[in-house]
Amino acid sequence: MAIADDIPAIRERAEQRKRELGLPYAGALAPAEAHALMQSGAKLVDVRTRPEVLYVGRVPGSVLVEWQTYPGNAPNPDFLAQLAREVVPGETLMFLCRSGQRSHWAAAAAAGAGWPDSYNVLEGFEGGKNAEQHRGTLGGWRKAGLPWVQG
């Protein structure tokens, strides 16, 4: 099956998660689903800090708009203005962070500011922590084997 043939099914699963979780945006995507939507033209917005992206890795073709600033993790007061410079109005947006928490809030903010086709990427880039408090083993973009580069 071609990727484009699966897009309606991906969007339906994301919308079902929206209903189940009571999300204020279009829906929630598994990393592989986000990758498929990205291949079909959706924009992946990485909301991690620049140091996270430089030291942990990034998704090729994504754009960086920090949700929180570094250092200090203060909310980025220019998030929506910076987002507007990076994406086209009406474009499908998918938000990615380390574990899916900051990206949830970024997707909600974007949806509330006029990007109704906004999604959160569940599990984020690195996934949750395992029993040893390490990330990268319990889900996430990298664990799923999706394209990424270092630095």
Side-chain angles (χ1 to χ4, degrees), residues 40 47 71 118:
S40 74
V47 300
S118 293

Side-chain angles (χ1 to χ4, degrees), residues 31-135:
E33 293 169 335
H35 181 250
L37 282 181
M38 190 177 181
Q39 289 181 301
S40 74
K43 180 73 73 174
L44 184 65
V45 181
D46 194 326
V47 300
R48 296 175 295 154
T49 63
R50 290 191 189 288
E52 284 177 285
V53 170
L54 289 172
Y55 294 113
V56 180
R58 65 178 175 80
V59 177
S62 64
V63 296
L64 175 64
V65 182
E66 294 178 317
W67 177 249
Q68 295 173 313
T69 60
Y70 179 85
N73 290 327
N76 177 0
D78 298 321
F79 176 77
L80 291 172
Q82 291 171 1
L83 182 65
R85 288 193 294 272
E86 294 291 337
V87 301
V88 177
E91 192 169 21
T92 298
L93 304 180
M94 303 172 300
F95 293 89
L96 177 79
C97 68
R98 179 184 59 207
S99 62
Q101 300 303 310
R102 287 173 285 176
S103 53
H104 162 78
W105 296 111
W115 287 279
D117 205 18
S118 293
Y119 296 85
N120 181 28
V121 180
L122 300 169
E123 303 173 11
F125 189 73
E126 297 180 75
K129 292 179 183 177
N130 65 14
E132 291 80 33
Q133 302 301 300
H134 299 155
R135 294 189 188 275

